[in-house]
Amino acid sequence: MKNFSIYRSWKGFISPFILGLYLSFTPALASNPLIHKHSLQPLSKISGIITDGKNPLPGVSISIKGKAKSVITSDFNGEYTIEAAPNDTLVASFIGFKTLIIPIDGRKTINIQLREDITSLQEVRVNAGYYSVKESERTGSISKISAAAIEIQPVTNMLATMQGRMAGVSITQTTGIPGGGFEIKIRGQNSIRPGGNAPLYVIDGVPYSSDPIGYNQTSTTFPTVTSPLNSINPDNIESIEVLKDADATSIYGSRGANGVVLVTTKKGKAGKTKFNITASTGSGQVTSFMKLMNTQQYLAMRAKALSNDGITEYQAWDYDINGTWDQNRYTNWQQELLGGTAAISKLQGTISGGSETTQFLFSGNYHTESTVFPGDFLYKLGGAQFSLNHRSEDAKFKMTFSANYTAQDNDQPAFDFTYDARVLPPNAPALYDANGNLNWENGTWDNPLRNLAAKFESKTNDLLANTVLSYEIVSGFVLKSSFGFTDLRHTESRISPSTIYNPSYGIGSAYSGIYLNNTNRSSWIVEPQMNWEKELGKGKFSMLLGGTFQNQSTSHLFQSGTGFSSNSLIYDLASATNVRVKLSDETVYKYQAFFARINYNWQERYIVNLTGRRDGSSRFGPGNQFANFGAVGAAWLFSNETFLKNSSWFSFGKLRASYGTTGNDQIGDYQFLNTYSSSGIPYDGVIGLQPTRLYNPDFGWETNKKLEVALETGFLHDQLFLTGAWYRNRSSNQLVGIPLPGTTGFSALQSNLDATVENTGLEFTLRTLNCSTKNFNWATILNLTLAKNKLLRFPGLESSSYKEQYRINQPLNIQLLYKYKGLDPQTGVYQFADVNNDGKIAFPDDRQTVVDLNPEYFGGLQNQLSYKHWKLDFLFQFVKQKNRNYPMGFAGQMSNQPTKMLNSWQQPGDNGPYQIYTIGYNDAAVTADYLYSESDAAISDASFIRLKNIALSYDLPLSIKNTQCKIILQSQNLLTFTKYEDGDPEFTNYGYLPPLKIITAGIQLTF
């Protein structure tokens, strides 16, 4: 039986009626031009190329505005094709670039140029070492600079590119000599040991040892021995990330206590084969000189000093004032010895390209730099890089291979001329005689150019290679393994030929000498890993498990030879009469670990990140070789909460915190063992052994507990973005050498010291987009760090050998100095506080005034401007600090002095401020001058603001397709503003060449 339905009958009745109405109104609809324009418009193919102004951009999303299903992406050549109506509007979007809306206006070909958008960088992924994470979702503290900031700096050391650009990262250049080093501290000094504060460097996933490769008898031209970090070519770097807090560093366990520096080198990109050639040339000069006395001022000082000491007749050795030397002669020795111009040149070439599945990059570079010193000295740096990326068609299998090779050849004088340039009398003789030979002026002076014959030479060859293989077994489950290898070969020599002495002394080649250093270091590492990602509930779950197996071998051979039949044989050690082996050793460092990470992200609002690592190191004795480290990090993206998600002015907000532990095993190899070394001295025809270290199997890991809380906020679509962080790091169980009495035969015993060092600080980063139009863009980035360091506890400090070096609740980098009271107006001699009231000024009881030499705050202010084809980028670095004045010795001796010493005491009643002149006969004044150099009066404000970097470029508007040409002008250390009077304020050890002011011009061609 069929059921009757009113609904079905009604529908069957009304359908023909609606159809009839539609047919009857069709002519009317057809005659409506507005409706016809939007619904019956014919479609046509629109095509073009998408670039960033220089390079094609693959993977850019192109859609038609208002049509969600019309999205296509550009191919590996940046080309796209889409069907659209003549009056439709295209929308082009890509992570890290501004979304562009382009009306078609009937065009068939539309080439699109995207501009970088710093306000969208929250979507960019940052490298966290074993994994990557979106900027907006990271729970740890990671600072980053990219190739865009690195390429505009005319420097050769990776650390130089980071100066003033990262909050919490303090970097100081130690010398301006090519091939010199830098000192880096990430969130302060954690270890009492000076050599225990270096961060871990990881290049393309391979740990890179930063342990010095120099020898103090050969690297005399530098304030510190040679560092291997000059082998890392900044031009090959794609990005540098610095991991700072426990959440970011604890996955590196024992090696993350002082932070981790991750270096990612450039890789090939899909697209047509591209050639890039960059050539530049420039010059470098010393940033500033001390203001020293001229001849008239100097001679007046010398005459007054002789008078003050009761000398009525000039002595035979007073050549500067007794008429032996020309008293009308004036030489600016700073300009003569340090005022040269270093010639700098660089050539870089790159070939890159590939398909969607395989990409490659090959590059080569060559850099030369001379010196500001007299003579022909040259630093040469060259290298090659190769990178290959491949993935299977189904994207399950992936392979990455990279190799970097660097060769350095450094030829420098063995001694820095800075000291001579400051102390030589201004009327000292000419450097050369009439015949062009070194002028010894009848034996009345030691010609400073004698040291040109004492040369330092070094050669370094460094290879670093890495391969990463991965395979996605099922969706979200990936097996991966990384294989790394490093090989470094370093040789250096310093010669001291007899020609550095006055020929009248009759010293021959039998007194010539050479010092040699051969250091080799190689390592391999294997790191298998497992990654799993899955949607769980309303969130995303990810897990990482892995292991590390590493082996590093290092060998040192330090030798010296003296006594040669001829100076022409000085580089042939076999020709030396006396040959000594200073050190010959080989060490092996073995390291293994297992690590894990668990991360859960719930609705992109609440994120928890757990990391852990179990480390094993061969540097500790049985029972202490393994230790556990871990951290927890959490973040709340409160801008994704319902009450803020649609805010028109508040675009991003994240509160994050972390706590955890990291470790430190930077103590050297075999420190727990009782070791022996060859004495090098024959006894009864046999070379014996001598003990070098006492056995101590009980010392273990140094531990650093890190706590951080941070707030990240963005306003007006992140056009104003502010990050503020507070941190506290406490490093305990300090690994140090505890001094022993001399009767033991050993100077120290390696052990753990029950002391705790605390670093606290505030870090701020402000990023603003000040203006953004079609032709003009202006962005500003400010970073500021306020840091405090102190020795929190040290049981037994008062009775230890460190009692005159450290103080509880004071920084590690303090100076214990005498307290300066002023000048005695009657005697003209400096006065100091007698702390213990014993009637005399003596060490250590009266040397108790604490002066902190740590920076009070530091940071940088960067501006990026672009107008059409022009780009301007400049960075001001600023540091608030104190530092030592340059010690020049007592005024009045045969040595030049700063012009400020003209304001010295002349007669009873004068207030100076500087004390009486003396040639050395006034014992009270000589002693007072020494005490003055070790007092708080010798500390002054060394704060500075420096125009660290400025770069101007212009893209030539060429009509040649796929060809760009850029004119580049760059400068480093161009201007410095400071109250410091004794030269450049940036130094760790005085008496060495300061950083150079560098200006270069170049051209970059891409086709």
Side-chain angles (χ1 to χ4, degrees):
M1 179 179 178
K2 294 182 180 180
N3 294 323
F4 178 80
S5 171
I6 297 177
Y7 171 74
R8 289 176 60 191
S9 301
W10 174 80
K11 186 167 61 174
F13 170 76
I14 199 69
S15 295
F17 178 72
I18 294 175
L19 179 61
L21 288 175
Y22 173 78
L23 293 174
S24 63
F25 281 96
T26 298
L29 291 171
S31 64
N32 189 326
L34 184 62
I35 296 175
H36 177 77
K37 178 179 179 181
H38 285 82
S39 60
L40 298 179
Q41 206 168 15
L43 301 179
S44 58
K45 289 186 177 181
I46 312 298
S47 61
I49 300 175
I50 306 174
T51 68
D52 61 358
K54 298 184 299 181
N55 306 311
L57 289 177
V60 177
S61 297
I62 304 293
S63 63
I64 300 172
K65 188 176 181 180
K67 298 180 180 180
K69 296 183 179 181
S70 62
V71 181
I72 58 98
T73 57
S74 58
D75 63 17
F76 61 86
N77 292 320
E79 298 176 353
Y80 75 94
T81 300
I82 191 172
E83 288 190 343
N87 292 300
D88 279 340
T89 299
L90 297 182
V91 179
S93 61
F94 193 48
I95 291 177
F97 291 83
K98 292 184 178 182
T99 298
L100 203 60
I101 299 175
I102 314 108
I104 294 177
D105 292 334
R107 293 175 291 176
K108 303 292 185 182
T109 301
I110 302 177
N111 294 324
I112 300 172
Q113 179 179 329
L114 296 183
R115 291 176 294 170
E116 187 176 350
D117 184 7
I118 66 168
T119 66
S120 68
L121 295 183
Q122 294 302 317
E123 299 303 311
V124 174
R125 302 190 72 85
V126 294
N127 181 15
Y130 293 105
Y131 59 95
S132 63
V133 61
K134 281 171 53 173
E135 177 70 27
S136 60
E137 297 177 355
R138 63 178 173 86
T139 53
S141 181
I142 303 176
S143 295
K144 176 182 178 178
I145 61 171
S146 63
I150 297 172
E151 292 170 348
I152 61 175
Q153 302 183 64
V155 296
T156 58
N157 191 295
M158 172 190 71
L159 296 181
T161 67
M162 301 161 59
Q163 275 190 294
R165 296 178 184 270
M166 293 181 172
V169 182
S170 174
I171 298 175
T172 304
Q173 187 171 351
T174 60
T175 177
I177 297 175
F182 289 76
E183 179 183 273
I184 178 173
K185 292 180 181 178
I186 299 175
R187 290 187 169 176
Q189 181 177 342
N190 295 308
S191 180
I192 290 177
R193 288 172 298 112
N197 293 282
L200 169 67
Y201 296 90
V202 180
I203 304 174
D204 287 338
V206 181
Y208 186 85
S209 176
S210 62
D211 292 342
I213 55 177
Y215 172 40
N216 57 14
Q217 291 297 317
T218 51
S219 305
T220 52
T221 190
F222 305 121
T224 56
V225 295
T226 311
S227 167
L229 295 179
N230 284 305
S231 294
I232 306 172
N233 181 15
D235 291 325
N236 292 339
I237 297 176
E238 181 65 31
S239 66
I240 301 175
E241 278 99 347
V242 175
L243 315 185
K244 296 180 287 187
D245 72 330
D247 177 81
T249 61
S250 68
I251 199 168
Y252 284 97
S254 64
R255 300 175 294 178
N258 301 313
V260 181
V261 179
L262 303 177
V263 178
T264 304
T265 60
K266 294 178 179 178
K267 304 292 188 295
K269 297 179 180 179
K272 295 179 179 178
T273 300
K274 182 175 64 175
F275 297 83
N276 182 288
I277 299 174
T278 303
S280 65
T281 185
S283 62
Q285 293 181 319
V286 172
T287 53
S288 62
F289 293 133
M290 284 185 69
K291 294 180 180 179
L292 300 176
M293 294 181 181
N294 60 31
T295 300
Q296 289 71 32
Q297 294 167 335
Y298 170 78
L299 293 178
M301 175 194 70
R302 288 278 286 149
K304 182 65 175 176
L306 289 164
S307 175
N308 288 341
D309 289 350
I311 306 299
T312 56
E313 293 185 5
Y314 297 141
Q315 300 165 100
W317 53 83
D318 293 327
Y319 308 118
D320 56 340
I321 198 171
N322 65 8
T324 303
W325 294 353
D326 185 355
Q327 297 189 27
N328 294 315
R329 178 181 176 81
Y330 170 71
T331 302
N332 184 337
W333 288 112
Q334 291 185 105
Q335 188 64 43
E336 192 77 19
L337 300 178
L338 309 178
T341 299
I344 302 169
S345 64
K346 184 179 75 171
L347 180 64
Q348 172 101 8
T350 303
I351 305 173
S352 63
S355 64
E356 291 185 358
T357 57
T358 304
Q359 304 89 41
F360 71 93
L361 180 145
F362 178 76
S363 68
N365 64 87
Y366 184 67
H367 173 97
T368 63
E369 182 175 349
S370 64
T371 178
V372 297
F373 298 141
D376 296 325
F377 299 98
L378 192 65
Y379 171 67
K380 293 179 285 187
L381 170 68
Q385 177 197 12
F386 177 71
S387 171
L388 179 67
N389 300 332
H390 175 74
R391 67 171 175 84
S392 59
E393 290 291 343
D394 59 4
K396 289 184 176 294
F397 173 76
K398 295 180 181 178
M399 183 199 74
T400 299
F401 172 78
S402 63
N404 290 271
Y405 177 78
T406 304
Q408 297 180 74
D409 188 347
N410 202 4
D411 175 21
Q412 300 294 330
F415 299 99
D416 194 308
F417 286 95
T418 301
Y419 174 78
D420 286 340
R422 292 182 172 182
V423 301
L424 278 174
N427 68 327
L431 294 171
Y432 296 97
D433 59 21
N435 296 321
N437 300 315
L438 286 185
N439 176 28
W440 298 98
E441 199 70 15
N442 299 316
T444 59
W445 78 320
D446 286 329
N447 193 314
L449 296 191
R450 69 191 187 281
N451 284 324
L452 290 178
K455 291 185 178 183
F456 163 82
E457 295 183 11
S458 72
K459 296 181 186 296
T460 308
N461 297 282
D462 198 0
L463 172 67
L464 187 147
N466 173 246
T467 299
V468 179
L469 304 175
S470 67
Y471 189 82
E472 186 176 25
I473 297 177
V474 295
S475 179
F477 185 78
V478 178
L479 292 180
K480 181 172 73 171
S481 189
S482 173
F483 307 87
F485 176 76
T486 67
D487 185 74
L488 182 145
R489 308 286 171 176
H490 176 75
T491 63
E492 60 185 22
S493 64
R494 176 177 69 88
I495 60 170
S496 179
S498 58
T499 52
I500 66 174
Y501 302 107
N502 190 329
S504 64
Y505 297 163
I507 298 176
S509 59
Y511 293 90
S512 297
I514 185 172
Y515 295 87
L516 299 169
N517 164 25
N518 289 270
T519 297
N520 298 322
R521 180 186 296 153
S522 62
S523 70
W524 57 261
I525 185 171
V526 177
E527 292 189 302
Q529 299 169 48
M530 180 191 74
N531 292 274
W532 182 45
E533 294 183 358
K534 186 174 179 59
E535 301 280 345
L536 287 181
K538 295 183 179 180
K540 293 184 293 183
F541 174 83
S542 62
M543 182 175 67
L544 166 68
L545 296 175
T548 299
F549 305 92
Q550 183 182 358
N551 182 291
Q552 177 177 290
S553 299
T554 305
S555 66
H556 300 283
L557 178 60
F558 302 158
Q559 302 175 90
S560 68
T562 57
F564 292 86
S565 58
S566 170
N567 281 326
S568 61
L569 298 173
I570 196 169
Y571 285 102
D572 180 22
L573 192 62
S575 299
T577 304
N578 302 300
V579 177
R580 291 198 62 184
V581 177
K582 302 288 188 177
L583 175 69
S584 176
D585 70 0
E586 182 174 354
T587 60
V588 177
Y589 169 53
K590 295 182 179 181
Y591 174 88
Q592 72 176 40
F594 298 96
F595 55 89
R597 171 185 180 253
I598 296 176
N599 180 276
Y600 187 69
N601 183 336
W602 192 71
Q603 290 190 333
E604 296 186 345
R605 286 188 288 173
Y606 306 102
I607 305 173
V608 177
N609 192 61
L610 302 175
T611 54
R613 189 176 184 107
R614 179 168 175 79
D615 273 354
S617 172
S618 63
R619 289 174 174 169
F620 301 105
N624 294 308
Q625 290 181 321
F626 293 89
N628 300 319
F629 305 97
V632 57
W636 175 33
L637 278 71
F638 55 87
S639 55
N640 288 343
E641 297 289 353
T642 306
F643 59 89
L644 282 174
K645 199 163 188 178
N646 296 318
S647 174
S648 60
W649 60 275
F650 191 83
S651 51
F652 184 81
K654 180 173 68 176
L655 180 66
R656 57 178 173 83
S658 66
Y659 177 77
T661 60
T662 57
N664 193 339
D665 69 347
Q666 294 183 31
I667 192 64
D669 297 307
Y670 311 134
Q671 298 296 313
F672 68 93
L673 288 172
N674 50 344
T675 55
Y676 295 81
S677 66
S678 175
S679 65
I681 301 173
Y683 178 78
D684 197 20
V686 178
I687 301 294
L689 296 177
Q690 60 185 11
T692 55
R693 189 176 296 114
L694 285 174
Y695 181 59
N696 180 13
D698 297 325
F699 81 88
W701 303 81
E702 193 171 294
T703 303
N704 196 338
K705 298 179 180 179
K706 300 183 178 184
L707 173 66
E708 180 184 55
V709 178
L711 177 66
E712 301 177 12
T713 54
F715 304 90
L716 304 176
H717 302 289
D718 291 355
Q719 293 187 74
L720 189 153
F721 198 92
L722 175 65
T723 299
W726 172 86
Y727 67 87
R728 187 194 71 194
N729 299 342
R730 287 182 175 174
S731 182
S732 59
N733 212 29
Q734 295 280 327
L735 287 169
V736 295
I738 297 179
L740 295 176
T743 55
T744 65
F746 297 89
S747 59
L749 172 67
Q750 299 298 335
S751 184
N752 290 101
L753 190 64
D754 187 20
T756 301
V757 177
E758 180 182 82
N759 286 282
T760 59
L762 293 170
E763 297 175 359
F764 300 97
T765 302
L766 175 65
R767 187 180 70 233
T768 62
L769 182 60
N770 307 315
C771 182
S772 179
T773 65
K774 180 180 180 181
N775 292 322
F776 179 69
N777 288 275
W778 175 25
T780 300
I781 303 173
L782 169 69
N783 73 83
L784 172 66
T785 302
L786 299 94
K788 293 289 184 182
N789 169 270
K790 66 180 178 180
L791 180 62
L792 202 61
R793 63 187 302 271
F794 192 147
L797 175 62
E798 292 301 321
S799 59
S800 76
S801 60
Y802 294 102
K803 65 179 180 179
E804 300 306 329
Q805 188 174 357
Y806 302 118
R807 289 292 181 267
I808 300 297
N809 292 322
Q810 293 291 342
L812 295 180
N813 188 27
I814 61 171
Q815 297 281 308
L816 293 177
L817 304 172
Y818 297 104
K819 180 64 178 178
Y820 178 65
K821 292 176 58 179
L823 187 73
D824 186 333
Q826 298 305 313
T827 64
V829 177
Y830 297 135
Q831 302 296 302
F832 305 91
D834 184 5
V835 176
N836 62 352
N837 297 314
D838 64 351
K840 60 182 180 180
I841 307 300
F843 175 84
D845 294 337
D846 296 321
R847 191 168 162 177
Q848 297 298 318
T849 300
V850 176
V851 176
D852 182 9
L853 297 185
N854 285 308
E856 185 177 335
Y857 60 82
F858 60 90
L861 177 64
Q862 181 184 6
N863 280 273
Q864 302 167 321
L865 300 96
S866 64
Y867 176 72
K868 293 185 177 179
H869 297 285
W870 292 92
K871 286 186 179 179
L872 175 65
D873 192 301
F874 59 92
L875 169 72
F876 281 97
Q877 177 195 9
F878 56 86
V879 180
K880 174 66 174 176
Q881 65 177 2
K882 294 179 181 178
N883 216 332
R884 279 186 171 273
N885 297 331
Y886 191 89
M888 299 289 289
F890 54 88
Q893 62 182 314
M894 193 172 170
S895 172
N896 206 357
Q897 293 289 324
T899 54
K900 63 184 179 182
M901 299 304 295
L902 295 171
N903 297 319
S904 291
W905 185 92
Q906 299 294 318
Q907 58 190 4
D910 283 354
N911 292 318
Y914 301 105
Q915 74 168 5
I916 186 173
Y917 296 145
T918 178
I919 65 169
Y921 289 3
N922 187 335
D923 291 340
V926 172
T927 300
D929 180 80
Y930 167 74
L931 295 175
Y932 185 90
S933 68
E934 296 297 322
S935 75
D936 57 350
I939 306 296
S940 63
D941 185 0
S943 306
F944 64 90
I945 299 174
R946 196 194 298 277
L947 182 54
K948 190 65 185 176
N949 172 255
I950 182 169
L952 178 66
S953 65
Y954 178 72
D955 286 308
L956 293 175
L958 302 179
S959 58
I960 306 174
K961 186 179 180 181
N962 297 325
T963 302
Q964 294 91 33
C965 184
K966 179 188 291 186
I967 307 297
I968 304 168
L969 183 64
Q970 300 174 348
S971 178
Q972 202 82 354
N973 304 322
L974 186 61
L975 297 171
T976 303
F977 306 94
T978 182
K979 294 181 180 179
Y980 187 70
E981 297 179 346
D982 290 357
D984 194 276
E986 182 182 355
F987 63 91
T988 55
N989 300 85
Y990 46 68
Y992 292 90
L993 190 71
L996 300 185
K997 173 177 62 179
I998 295 174
I999 300 176
T1000 66
I1003 185 170
Q1004 183 181 77
L1005 184 64
T1006 304
F1007 56 93

